[in-house]
Amino acid sequence: MTQTLAERFRQEGLLNLTVRHGSEPGPDIEGMLPRSRRRLFVEAKGERPSGNERAAVGEALLQILSRYDADVVCALALPYTERFKDLVRSILPGLRRLGLHVLLVRQGQIWHLGPQAAGFFPARPDSLLEVLDR
């Protein structure tokens, strides 16, 4: 999932793209949005053998909040599965309040759910950088 996102960001021209794997410190994906020059932090969590998606999302939110700033665009990247869909739906008001973007990945395709979304209506944008830089 991280590689799928990183490749898309590379193709779209994210500046200073850094991708971290495993337990490397820092956001999983980091870069600078070309239009606004704001920093982008993406925290990605995958499926867990234990099925504990709540813990994965909790960890991601903690990592995002440790870097949260008015000048930073933050996104949570998750697999587009029923379990993660249900979990995101249950915390959508909080994600909106924090201004967090959600990126859902399935079979090499990426959906975006913006912080202003009125409900759980992810869309496949032509440009991820454009929707993240609004």
Side-chain angles (χ1 to χ4, degrees):
M1 175 175 55
T2 302
Q3 279 309 118
T4 299
L5 288 164
E7 185 53 38
R8 177 80 176 263
F9 287 136
R10 189 175 290 113
Q11 289 172 359
E12 291 190 24
L14 184 67
L15 304 173
N16 305 321
L17 176 63
T18 302
V19 180
R20 295 178 181 89
H21 300 280
S23 61
E24 290 181 67
D28 294 317
I29 299 174
E30 182 176 355
M32 185 179 296
L33 295 165
R35 186 178 59 78
S36 68
R37 302 292 184 183
R38 293 173 69 198
R39 292 179 306 160
L40 171 67
F41 294 142
V42 178
E43 195 58 47
K45 293 296 177 195
E47 293 182 86
R48 295 190 170 180
S50 65
N52 196 348
E53 288 80 9
R54 294 177 72 85
V57 170
E59 289 172 13
L61 290 173
L62 181 60
Q63 291 164 343
I64 287 170
L65 292 174
S66 71
R67 290 170 180 79
Y68 190 83
D69 185 298
D71 295 329
V72 174
V73 175
C74 295
L76 174 62
L78 303 167
Y80 201 165
T81 65
E82 286 301 316
R83 285 180 163 166
F84 277 110
K85 240 171 48 174
D86 292 344
L87 181 54
V88 169
R89 274 190 180 111
S90 74
I91 62 171
L92 198 52
L95 295 174
R96 262 190 254 140
R97 183 84 169 155
L98 291 170
L100 299 180
H101 295 263
V102 178
L103 303 174
L104 299 160
V105 181
R106 179 174 55 211
Q107 298 175 346
Q109 297 182 342
I110 303 166
W111 283 261
H112 172 260
L113 183 62
Q116 292 81 27
F120 188 83
F121 305 110
R124 288 185 43 217
D126 291 330
S127 169
L128 279 178
L129 295 186
E130 186 179 304
V131 296
L132 292 169
D133 206 8
R134 288 187 181 155

